[in-house]
């Protein structure tokens, strides 16, 4: 059974999903279209639209396909305008599109950090800004931001990705207080490691690419231990994009959804670890668990 068969809130909603060409976004779009009680705007970057057709998603009475690069202000406005013209506006915004830079702090250029923050933080909040007036007028709406376990804990080589999700968490929390009075509910869905091929989409910063190829680089051992470590955790994870999508659909069926939802078992585990352990102990435990951490810094810098 795709998602829950309980009714959605609001009923028969117009749902906009970003980054639906693959992974979690595609799984959400498919599960929404299988339910048949939503009007869904499935969006993806222009170059990725053919993948939607290949996955069986086509335009129809209840489905519109729209090109949307979330970092492009004109495309953001166009998709929200189209939703207003055809279906009277967006009732549910699912900010899913995201990218992941992998780089140690020393190897990150400002332009790379900006691209990470634009995609994962600024764009979702700009889309929220565009749909909020319509939601306020209707006194109903949902904004679901796909965050991450990295929105509450940071790992080495993933600093700027974490920064983007921490920022998303902070801004969403603030919006949760602001929007409740209009019956607009904001939810942060936090997946942990997902068994998917998304690790292939990780973007190494330019300097990180050089460092990975250079055994003499002071950070070479950090990259060479962290990358397989993270990929192994993803491969071993029982959670799939479909699993996260079902969790998102359950949120849409809740009359008063919570601000934060752990979407996988490990996300719940890390949440409890962070909450229950004294901060110093928590960081010491995680540091010890890092792969080959005793070898880090052994190169001449
Ligand atoms: N996979 C995990 O383990 C994991 C864990 C925690 C959180 N998350 C979060 O879950 C969300 C979905 O990730 P995923 O696992 O499904 O990753 P994925 O398979 O790499 O999918 C990312 C999606 O975002 C799209 N995208 C990237 N930049 C975009 C842009 N500028 N405009 C529009 N779309 C864009 C991609 O489109 P293209 O095909 O055009 O590149 C793709 O459809 C992300 O926000 C991610 O941070 C993932």
């Amino acid at each position: 059974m795709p998602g829950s068969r309980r009714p959605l809130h609001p009923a028969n909603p117009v749902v906009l999903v970003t980054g639906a060409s693959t992974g979690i976004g595609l799984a959400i779009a498919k599960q929404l279209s299988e339910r048949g009680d939503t009007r869904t705007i499935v969006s993806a970057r222009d170059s990725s639209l053919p993948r939607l057709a290949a996955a069986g998603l086509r335009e129809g009475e209840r489905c519109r396909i729209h090109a949307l690069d979330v970092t492009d202000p004109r495309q953001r406005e166009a998709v929200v305008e189209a939703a207003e013209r055809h279906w009277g506006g967006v009732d549910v915004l699912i900010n899913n599109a995201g990218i992941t830079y992998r780089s140690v702090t020393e190897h990150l250029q400002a332009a790379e950090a900006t691209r990470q923050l634009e995609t994962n933080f600024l764009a979702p909040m700009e889309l929220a800004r565009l749909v909020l007036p319509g939601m306020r007028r209707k006194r109903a709406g949902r904004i679901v931001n796909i965050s991450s376990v990295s929105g509450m804990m940071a790992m080495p080589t993933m600093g700027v990705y974490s920064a983007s999700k921490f920022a998303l968490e902070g801004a969403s929390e603030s919006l949760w207080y602001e929007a409740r009075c209009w019956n607009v509910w904001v939810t942060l869905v936090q997946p942990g490691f997902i068994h998917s091929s998304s690790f292939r989409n990780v973007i190494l910063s330019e300097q990180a690419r050089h460092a990975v190829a250079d055994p003499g680089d002071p950070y070479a051992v950090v990259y060479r231990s962290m990358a397989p470590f993270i990929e192994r955790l993803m491969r071993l994870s029982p959670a799939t994009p479909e699993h996260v999508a079902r969790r998102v659909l359950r949120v849409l069926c809740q009359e008063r959804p919570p601000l934060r939802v752990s979407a996988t078992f490990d996300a719940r585990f890390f949440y409890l670890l962070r909450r229950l352990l004294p901060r110093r102990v928590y960081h010491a435990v995680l540091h010890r668990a890092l792969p080959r951490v005793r070898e880090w810094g052994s190169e001449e810098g």
Side-chain angles (χ1 to χ4, degrees):
M1 171 87 62
S4 160
R5 289 313 306 178
R6 285 189 294 145
L8 298 170
H9 294 281
N12 192 28
V14 175
V15 187
L16 168 59
V17 188
T18 69
S21 66
T22 179
I24 296 170
L26 178 61
I28 294 170
K30 280 177 144 179
Q31 290 182 21
L32 286 170
S33 76
E34 283 162 23
R35 277 186 67 106
D37 57 354
T38 66
R39 290 160 293 163
T40 309
I41 302 169
V42 180
S43 75
R45 282 196 277 211
D46 211 13
S47 54
S48 301
L49 288 177
R51 283 150 74 183
L52 296 178
L57 285 166
R58 292 195 170 72
E59 289 236 322
E61 210 177 300
R62 290 190 163 272
C63 178
R64 295 187 69 86
I65 308 271
H66 214 288
L68 175 61
D69 179 329
V70 294
T71 62
D72 182 332
R74 274 181 309 196
Q75 289 192 17
R76 286 196 299 256
E77 280 171 21
V79 75
V80 174
E81 271 166 29
E84 277 162 9
R85 218 172 30 252
H86 294 289
W87 285 333
V90 174
D91 301 309
V92 177
L93 168 64
I94 302 180
N95 277 313
N96 164 76
I99 56 172
T100 309
Y101 264 94
R102 191 165 297 159
S103 175
V104 297
T105 305
E106 225 182 300
H107 288 166
L108 196 71
Q109 311 282 333
E112 294 164 329
T114 302
R115 184 174 166 219
Q116 174 72 85
L117 294 170
E118 269 182 347
T119 310
N120 289 17
F121 165 55
L122 292 173
M125 296 320 290
E126 282 300 297
L127 278 166
R129 211 171 53 76
L130 290 173
V131 299
L132 275 164
M135 292 179 174
R136 274 194 297 100
R137 274 195 297 276
K138 291 184 194 169
R139 292 196 166 262
R142 296 297 175 86
I143 296 173
V144 177
N145 290 332
I146 308 298
S147 178
S148 169
V149 75
S150 298
M152 63 174 167
M153 62 184 283
M155 286 173 79
T157 73
M158 296 191 69
V160 75
Y161 175 72
S162 257
S164 72
K165 296 294 188 182
F166 269 72
L168 184 68
E169 294 258 337
S172 304
E173 189 169 312
S174 172
L175 180 57
W176 184 86
Y177 292 110
E178 295 164 3
R180 255 186 87 150
C181 55
W182 286 285
N183 191 29
V184 175
W185 295 83
V186 180
T187 299
L188 287 154
V189 173
Q190 298 174 318
F193 294 103
I194 308 288
H195 189 96
S196 76
S197 54
S198 64
F199 62 83
R200 290 201 200 105
N201 303 334
V202 163
I203 306 165
L204 284 175
S205 73
E206 195 185 332
Q207 277 180 266
R209 271 202 306 280
H210 292 301
V212 168
D214 174 8
D217 188 279
Y219 286 103
V221 65
V222 177
Y223 290 116
R224 285 172 178 209
S225 48
M226 281 307 291
F229 176 67
I230 295 170
E231 283 162 27
R232 198 167 52 246
L233 288 175
M234 289 176 83
R235 262 200 312 277
L236 292 176
S237 170
T240 60
E242 289 69 29
H243 173 105
V244 179
R246 278 195 291 278
R247 195 67 197 86
V248 170
L249 263 71
R250 275 215 299 282
V251 165
L252 302 186
C253 294
Q254 283 176 274
E255 220 170 319
R256 294 160 75 88
L259 169 59
R260 286 192 175 79
V261 169
S262 296
T264 58
F265 173 77
D266 58 334
R268 183 87 195 135
F269 171 76
F270 284 121
Y271 166 77
L272 289 174
L273 201 68
R274 195 168 172 102
R275 196 160 153 215
L276 299 177
L277 287 184
R279 215 31 94 83
R280 265 182 42 186
V281 177
Y282 162 84
H283 289 302
V285 167
L286 283 201
H287 182 254
R288 261 172 177 259
L290 292 172
R292 294 166 61 190
V293 71
R294 284 173 198 278
E295 294 168 44
W296 295 15
S298 55
E299 305 288 340
E300 288 304 313

